[in-house]
């Protein structure tokens, strides 16, 4: 499979709850490579751009408030089929539906604070890497 890049970030809930090390360990154990990593706060502009597809949802305001509520760990991750591989490590969006053994299945309880973000396509990955790390 093709070597590709994806964008991922450990969300503010997981940073607050001291889960960064465990999540990074899971990513590294999977064979994916962390190319870049930075602790930073998501700006209002970045949050709006990252979640533009959800702007009409009732939970949108909460989602923006949550993702800007404290530092996140931003990462560029690379490897064979990195986009799909990260999505598989993360598990389903709603932790109640995420399988045991996935990051969300093991570490999150609630769709409002589901521990980690990962791009959903190679095109979105490149767009999100630019959005969060610059050109
Ligand atoms: P994912 O994060 O798995 O890519 P998404 O892009 O559909 O999922 O949604 C982005 C985030 O929005 C998700 O991580 C949590 C929040 N979200 C999605 N659906 C939700 C819902 N039904 N209720 C509350 N928050 C939701
Ligand atoms: Mg998404």
């Amino acid at each position: 499979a093709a070597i590709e890049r994806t964008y991922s970030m450990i969300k503010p809930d997981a940073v607050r709850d001291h889960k960064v090390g465990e999540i990074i360990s899971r990513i590294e154990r999977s064979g994916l490579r962390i190319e870049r990593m930075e602790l930073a706060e998501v700006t209002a502009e970045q949050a709006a751009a990252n979640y533009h597809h959800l702007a009409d949802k009732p939970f949108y305001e909460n989602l923006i408030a949550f993702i800007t509520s404290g530092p996140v760990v931003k990462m560029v991750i690379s490897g064979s089929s990195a986009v799909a591989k990260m999505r598989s490590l993360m598990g389903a969006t709603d932790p109640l539906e995420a399988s045991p053994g996935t990051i969300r299945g093991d570490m999150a309880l609630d769709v409002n604070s589901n521990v980690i973000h990962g791009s959903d396509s190679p095109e979105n990955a490149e767009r999100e890497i630019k959005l969060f790390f610059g050109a």
Side-chain angles (χ1 to χ4, degrees):
I3 299 293
E4 56 188 25
R5 303 197 297 173
T6 191
Y7 176 72
S8 181
M9 66 183 159
I10 303 174
K11 294 184 178 182
D13 55 335
V15 175
R16 269 193 292 273
D17 295 343
H18 304 245
K19 291 173 176 168
V20 171
E22 180 175 350
I23 293 169
I24 289 171
S25 293
R26 286 170 178 243
I27 294 167
E28 287 193 311
R29 262 191 272 133
S30 78
L32 291 171
R33 177 178 299 278
I34 299 171
E35 299 277 0
R36 296 186 70 167
M37 180 161 60
E38 186 184 332
L39 186 78
E41 293 199 7
V42 173
T43 66
E45 293 73 21
Q46 288 169 332
N50 195 54
Y51 291 125
H52 69 277
H53 61 296
L54 300 172
D56 61 350
K57 301 288 188 195
F59 57 81
Y60 178 75
E61 299 299 332
N62 272 341
L63 175 61
I64 298 299
F66 167 63
I67 202 68
T68 58
S69 68
V72 301
V73 177
K74 307 189 292 187
M75 292 174 284
V76 176
I77 292 169
S78 71
S80 182
S81 301
V83 172
K85 179 77 178 174
M86 259 317 292
R87 295 290 302 193
S88 151
L89 282 181
M90 286 163 47
T93 302
D94 185 344
L96 292 177
E97 286 156 20
S99 301
T102 66
I103 293 169
R104 285 164 167 171
D106 292 348
M107 304 177 71
L109 283 174
D110 183 339
V111 72
N112 295 302
S113 50
N114 62 2
V115 171
I116 189 164
H117 167 82
S119 308
D120 61 9
S121 70
E123 295 71 30
N124 283 337
E126 292 305 319
R127 201 175 47 73
E128 291 171 12
I129 290 167
K130 276 200 194 71
L131 176 65
F132 288 101
F133 283 103

